[in-house]
Amino acid sequence: GAGFEYRNRTVGGAHQPGLVLDSRNTGKLLFETSVLPADGRYRSRLHAESFVARKKSLGDMNYSGATVEWNSQYRIEPSGTMNLEVTLKGGQTRGQVPIDDYFVLGIDQRPDNLLRGHNGVSYSGHYGHAPMGTSFVLMNTTFDRRIRRLPIFNVLNIPFGEIGRAHV
């Protein structure tokens, strides 16, 4: 996939070293691709996204960045009762990046970059202190064992329910 994004930025605030807090506009070219190799017990996905902002593309800044994500699922038992899932994701930027293009880890209810073990929301209901940066590497693993599957006979369009899933 490919696309273009233009941001007419209006920013103000105190000067922070290393952060672009001004009103320069950005025009970014966006690229994205996925590869899905698969066989019976092993499923995998390799997904890459990149962006390039140049002064020539309706913007006032030069910077670039990319993220690469590898998702892997392996069925330990052929019946699918035990699975191992591994996700490895990393990203890096180059150049002077505006603050709205920094990577934010684990801040939303469904974040792009899942950071397990991090409070996304504080006790008062406000966002927590999510880490931000111009590069990151995350690895998440899940071992999943289904204990019992009960048939519900398509009640409420749900053919079965799973009881006692153990996540580690």
Side-chain angles (χ1 to χ4, degrees):
F4 179 77
E5 177 184 277
Y6 176 76
R7 289 188 184 176
N8 187 353
R9 300 173 67 238
T10 302
V11 180
H15 175 71
Q16 298 289 326
L19 295 179
V20 178
L21 295 174
D22 57 23
S23 296
R24 287 185 278 178
N25 301 326
T26 59
K28 293 190 305 188
L29 297 171
L30 307 167
F31 304 99
E32 171 180 5
T33 188
S34 288
V35 178
L36 300 167
D39 68 11
R41 291 177 63 183
Y42 177 75
R43 291 186 293 183
S44 182
R45 177 184 90 136
L46 183 63
H47 181 78
E49 295 180 12
S50 65
F51 56 88
V52 177
R54 296 290 179 252
K55 291 182 179 179
K56 297 177 184 177
S57 59
L58 297 176
D60 300 324
M61 302 180 73
N62 290 327
Y63 64 94
S64 60
T67 60
V68 177
E69 180 176 3
W70 174 62
N71 307 107
S72 175
Q73 182 184 45
Y74 178 69
R75 288 186 179 177
I76 296 171
E77 292 183 0
S79 63
T81 58
M82 289 176 51
N83 296 309
L84 176 65
E85 296 178 13
V86 177
T87 299
L88 182 63
K89 186 173 185 179
Q92 185 172 19
T93 61
R94 295 189 183 271
Q96 193 175 18
V97 182
I99 193 165
D100 46 330
D101 279 321
Y102 269 51
F103 297 117
V104 180
L105 306 181
I107 193 167
D108 291 323
Q109 296 294 335
R110 297 180 186 267
D112 291 335
N113 305 310
L114 177 64
L115 180 62
R116 289 188 178 167
H118 176 265
N119 289 337
V121 179
S122 69
Y123 293 112
S124 62
H126 298 289
Y127 283 129
H129 300 288
M132 294 177 63
T134 56
S135 61
F136 73 96
V137 175
L138 293 173
M139 181 175 178
N140 291 309
T141 60
T142 301
F143 173 76
D144 185 26
R145 182 173 186 265
R146 185 177 63 235
I147 295 172
R148 184 76 176 141
R149 179 179 275 183
L150 300 174
I152 301 179
F153 306 109
N154 213 11
V155 175
L156 299 174
N157 206 20
I158 303 171
F160 57 86
E162 294 182 354
I163 304 294
R165 279 183 90 121
H167 295 283
V168 177

